[in-house]
Amino acid sequence: MAGPTGPTKTADRRPRGSVRARPVPDSGSGGGRPARSRLRPRMPGRRALLLTLVLVVLLGGFAVYALYFSPWLRVGHVSVTGNHKLGKAEITRAAAVPEGDPLATVDRTAIAHRITGELPRVARAEVVRSWPDGIGLEVTERRPELLMKSAGKYVEVDAEGVRFATVGRPPKGVPLLELEAERSASLRHFGAARLRREAVRAAAALPESLHRSTRTVRVSSYDSITLELSGDRTVLWGSAERGKAKAKSLTALMKAAKDASHFDVSVPSAPAASGS
């Protein structure tokens, strides 16, 4: 039998299921635009740029006018918070806030320095702008931790050993500080301010119940602090170091020796009690 008629090329023999690849059109030929040209953003025209520039200049000029020259954003009132002993009028007078000046030009640092400089009772002062026309004064007053007698009055000493106010009557619950180190080497070496701070550290380490019953904190030297409590009781504290350990030992010692009148916690690991 004769074979099939007509010649058959080997290249035309393709496996079943094969797909012939479609030709990719040449982007450089024909009438279609290239893909990149269709994605390129349009640049704004000169007119749009000019309008934007004019708008920015106008807004900037208006902002400068509103902040520095307009009557809208000027200091109109002053508020005070955080005060307890001092009056608002006293703090405002010391602050000397320039009312009527532009709020943006107010020197807050200078105002804070005026307050703390003229009012020693104020430990810290913060000045804040309260838009559109207010200034806020936030003060932190010093609290007396100890008292010192002076010419029949009482000088209040804060937790940093700073003498900040003189009062006619002693505040309740504040111990009296007595420095007896005028001729000691501690005074020459450390200075009175340092010894006051050490006395405050000793008093601050006491539990609240013992702090309320403390009448006098007596400082003979840097490492010789004595506490005089109600009921004719005394505590040899030693230096202000290891205050928490000493307070813990004193509390336990006073419970164990309830009838004692003298306690020694200068070495907290070896406390002692005596007297009855």
Side-chain angles (χ1 to χ4, degrees):
M1 177 180 287
T5 61
T8 301
K9 295 182 178 180
T10 306
D12 291 335
R13 296 176 181 176
R14 297 185 301 272
R16 290 185 179 181
S18 63
V19 179
R20 179 179 297 181
R22 296 182 180 179
V24 179
D26 186 3
S27 59
S29 61
R33 288 185 176 181
R36 291 184 179 179
S37 64
R38 291 197 300 268
L39 299 178
R40 184 179 300 169
R42 294 184 59 185
M43 298 298 293
R46 292 183 178 180
R47 181 176 298 179
L49 290 175
L50 182 60
L51 290 175
T52 302
L53 180 61
V54 171
L55 182 61
V56 170
V57 172
L58 289 177
L59 290 176
F62 178 78
V64 171
Y65 169 76
L67 286 174
Y68 300 100
F69 302 102
S70 75
W72 309 318
L73 305 179
R74 294 180 176 270
V75 179
H77 64 90
V78 179
S79 62
V80 179
T81 58
N83 60 309
H84 300 284
K85 295 289 186 179
L86 297 172
K88 293 184 177 180
E90 190 175 5
I91 297 174
T92 303
R93 183 168 54 253
V97 178
E99 295 194 21
D101 282 11
L103 198 62
T105 64
V106 172
D107 190 341
R108 296 181 296 168
T109 302
I111 294 175
H113 286 168
R114 285 198 292 269
I115 295 174
T116 55
E118 296 192 20
L119 301 175
R121 185 177 288 275
V122 178
R124 289 176 296 277
E126 183 178 358
V127 182
V128 295
R129 295 186 178 93
S130 181
W131 300 95
D133 62 349
I135 287 292
L137 307 177
E138 301 177 3
V139 299
T140 301
E141 294 183 353
R142 301 181 188 273
R143 296 178 55 185
E145 296 292 338
L146 295 175
L147 299 173
M148 297 181 67
K149 279 186 178 180
S150 176
K153 295 185 178 182
Y154 297 88
V155 178
E156 295 179 315
V157 181
D158 73 347
E160 299 175 353
V162 177
R163 295 173 295 179
F164 62 90
T166 301
V167 295
R169 294 182 179 181
K172 293 182 179 181
V174 182
L176 182 67
L177 169 62
E178 292 189 1
L179 289 177
E180 298 180 343
E182 289 83 359
R183 298 181 180 179
S184 69
S186 292
L187 182 62
R188 295 191 299 269
H189 181 72
F190 296 104
R194 174 67 182 276
L195 294 181
R196 287 196 300 268
R197 289 196 298 270
E198 296 303 305
V200 170
R201 287 179 60 194
L206 291 171
E208 184 62 27
S209 58
L210 290 178
H211 192 280
R212 288 195 303 266
S213 62
T214 302
R215 300 292 180 260
T216 305
V217 178
R218 195 179 305 277
V219 180
S220 300
S221 64
Y222 177 85
D223 55 359
S224 181
I225 300 174
T226 302
L227 311 178
E228 296 181 359
L229 312 181
S230 60
D232 294 328
R233 296 171 298 173
T234 60
V235 179
L236 179 58
W237 194 263
S239 69
E241 304 295 332
R242 304 184 64 189
K244 290 184 178 181
K246 293 178 179 180
K248 186 176 180 180
S249 294
L250 178 60
T251 302
L253 186 62
M254 295 181 78
K255 289 181 179 180
K258 295 182 179 180
D259 296 332
S261 59
H262 179 72
F263 305 90
D264 186 346
V265 292
S266 56
V267 181
S269 59
S274 62
S276 59

